[in-house]
Amino acid sequence: MIAFRDFALRRGERLLLSNVDLALHAGWRVGVIGRNGTGKSSLFAAIQGEVEADRGDIDVPARVRIASVAQETPALDEPALEFVLSGDAEVHQVILAERAAAEREDWEAVANAHLRLAELNGYDATARAGKLLHGLGFSPDTHERAVKEFSGGWRVRLNLARALMTPSDLLLLDEPTNHLDLDAVLWLEQWLLKYPGTLLMISHDREFLDGVSTHTIHLNEGKAKLYVGDYTAFERQRAEQLRQQQIAFEKEQAEREHLQKFIDRFKAKASKAKQAQSRMKRLEKLAGTEAVRAERSLHIDFPAPAKLPHALLRLVDADCGYGDPAANPHVVLDNVGFILEAGDRVALLGPNGAGKSTLVKSLVGEIPLLTGERGGHPDLRIGYFAQHTVESLHEGRSPIDHLGDIAPGVATQQLRDFLGKWQFPGNRAFESVDGFSGGERARLALAMIAWTQPNVLLLDEPTNHLDLEMREALAEALSDFDGAIVMVSHDRHLIGLVCDTFWRVADGVAQPFDGDLDAYASWLRSRDNSNDGKSVKQAKAVKAGKGSDAIDAAMPAVAETAAVASARPAAVAAAPAGKSRKANPVKLAQAEARVAELESKLHAIDMDLADPTRYADLPALSRQRDALAAQLAEAEEAYLALYDAA
């Protein structure tokens, strides 16, 4: 049990929490909620002993094993699988000891290591680490990739996997669904439901909280209150408490008024003085119930489009990807046909790296199609929110400056009025964005989109930096928007309120999904494990009645994410097995190692190309990929030449 007794916490001069008295019992799954800045992360730091209470204390049993997600990941040469496995430090040390003993042929030490692994139930540790990586979206061929080769978003996932691997009695997760796609969020939800310890999680994803939490701690105005139930149950209970509080306040105010009138009228009369004194004492003893403060509610809106034609945007027979179409391009999505009309509300589903952001960029026209046609109505006006949009705001400049850049000649007062509707009132509109939180920056980026009065909104993870209140406001605004919407988001509540059409992007294709989000979640859980990862291209080959050679050529995609992996070319894979006995084995091994090395590097580049956070590096990455592809072609020719010369 974790107990808070008269707990108070400050950060600098600011009092975050005070008079906190509550107890958390073993096995509870607790959602920690509250507006940004109310002290959620500071509370976690206090539980871990990283900050001291200003008053009172926290009672955490000494033997409780605490696991949490690291905020930073060093640039390690260690493979991803090894990094996750090291989360179980004791088992990992035994495995390392066993490897070292085997290398020096100390078989007694090897036997002792195996006995220790059995005591720790560690024989399946590597398999468990692999399952965690798979569940969080890492394809099998990335498990041996060095940690330093992953981008920031994927390193966050590695840290999460490592925390889940760590044996613990108390698991602290701060915004665990950030940087996850919907598939990974659904997987994490199921994993946490089986976690046997006590779980505390900070999240702005209400569907995730509803799916996992048994209790809720609400931080508000320096107080922490514990509620039984998930987020929806919290909302109901809090609404009822506020209603009862308002009733009690109004009743008390009426009694106060009645008593005060009696006192004012009769306190000067000797015959009533005693009664007046009695009522004065009664007035002093009244509880002093506070009125319910109107909790600040956000309201934003996207203005109606100036023009809204019926047919807005289309892709016809489009291959989407990167590079020169004439020189070995990287095709992410094949043969896409997509039509967007007024009123359409489309959510793109599928794992990260499968091509959702690539499809959105192709719709925007930000990257050219490799083949096919992109067409738009002459009155098409797109509002585009990308994952890198928040980072692209100019440091040292204010909201007024940013809005003025896209609205030259517009009066400052008109810009201030507009920004006020997006919760940048008064002088806030003139403050530098340097001090803005991620949520404030995202709100400014959305405001700039709204100013342009688009008739199509293309939104790629718009909620990553937003708190619950802003997410609700965004959902309402998008529901009222008259134009068309295409959205990528892991927030099921937002998708469920806004979108009515779903497309799954995976295995190199984009196609409609017949069902809603609940059906999609059920489908993910019920997929036959033996078919997990089978590419759509394989299915098409089988359906078309193609021979076994075609199916075999497609099989490398089973072990890789088809949208980002580059399978070994069939020419190399099909080299006759018998030839290897005649060729020089040393040279063959060197040639094959060279091919494998280049394939690994090429796959790493492909993953980075599919990562929206690396968009600024796109030109350099494309050049690197072209150079590697050329080197790989040469290496394959050298590999095959060994057979021809043998």
Side-chain angles (χ1 to χ4, degrees), residues 490-509:
H490 64 263
D491 189 319
R492 283 167 287 170
H493 182 67
L494 177 67
I495 294 175
L497 288 176
V498 175
C499 298
D500 51 26
T501 303
F502 303 92
W503 280 55
R504 184 168 188 262
V505 180
D507 300 322
V509 298

Side-chain angles (χ1 to χ4, degrees), residues 518-590:
D518 290 335
Y520 183 69
S522 299
W523 175 76
L524 284 176
R525 287 193 292 266
S526 63
R527 278 186 304 179
D528 183 357
N529 290 333
S530 65
N531 290 327
D532 280 355
K534 176 181 279 190
S535 74
V536 175
K537 291 181 179 179
Q538 286 176 262
K540 287 180 177 178
V542 175
K543 187 174 181 180
K546 295 182 179 178
S548 60
D549 290 344
I551 299 172
D552 290 341
M555 280 303 292
V558 174
E560 299 182 333
T561 304
V564 299
S566 179
R568 177 177 297 190
V572 175
K579 288 274 188 179
S580 64
R581 299 188 184 93
K582 299 177 183 179
N584 185 317
V586 175
K587 290 184 177 180
L588 273 175
Q590 291 174 343

Side-chain angles (χ1 to χ4, degrees), residues 195-351:
Y195 176 67
T198 304
L199 170 65
L200 269 68
M201 52 189 174
I202 299 168
S203 179
H204 294 305
D205 186 335
R206 60 178 296 156
E207 291 289 331
F208 180 73
L209 290 169
D210 276 350
V212 177
S213 57
T214 60
H215 296 73
T216 301
I217 293 177
H218 180 221
L219 305 188
N220 183 54
E221 297 181 348
K223 308 297 181 184
K225 185 172 178 60
L226 179 66
Y227 294 82
V228 176
D230 56 22
Y231 184 82
T232 298
F234 151 76
E235 279 194 317
R236 287 197 298 265
Q237 293 174 65
R238 179 160 173 76
E240 178 60 21
Q241 287 177 359
L242 292 176
R243 189 181 74 84
Q244 293 294 341
Q245 180 181 333
Q246 187 62 26
I247 290 172
F249 171 77
E250 291 172 358
K251 182 178 179 181
E252 182 179 304
Q253 290 302 108
E255 185 176 1
R256 281 181 179 278
E257 184 179 0
H258 177 74
L259 291 171
Q260 193 64 52
K261 283 182 178 179
F262 186 93
I263 293 168
D264 292 342
R265 183 177 180 183
F266 296 112
K267 65 181 179 181
K269 292 187 177 182
S271 60
K272 298 288 186 177
K274 198 168 186 179
Q275 295 180 43
Q277 283 284 345
S278 174
R279 282 163 173 75
M280 289 175 68
K281 291 179 181 179
R282 168 63 181 160
L283 187 61
E284 291 172 359
K285 290 181 179 179
L286 286 179
T289 305
E290 290 187 15
V292 174
R293 299 181 184 178
E295 296 194 340
R296 178 171 52 88
S297 59
L298 287 172
H299 178 74
I300 59 177
D301 68 89
F302 290 89
K307 294 182 179 180
L308 186 59
H310 177 69
L312 290 163
L313 185 60
R314 71 180 185 276
L315 298 179
V316 181
D317 298 330
D319 283 359
C320 306
Y322 305 91
D324 184 350
N328 194 25
H330 172 46
V331 179
V332 176
L333 297 174
D334 178 48
N335 195 31
V336 177
F338 191 94
I339 298 175
L340 193 64
E341 298 177 344
D344 284 349
R345 301 282 197 274
V346 183
L348 302 182
L349 310 176

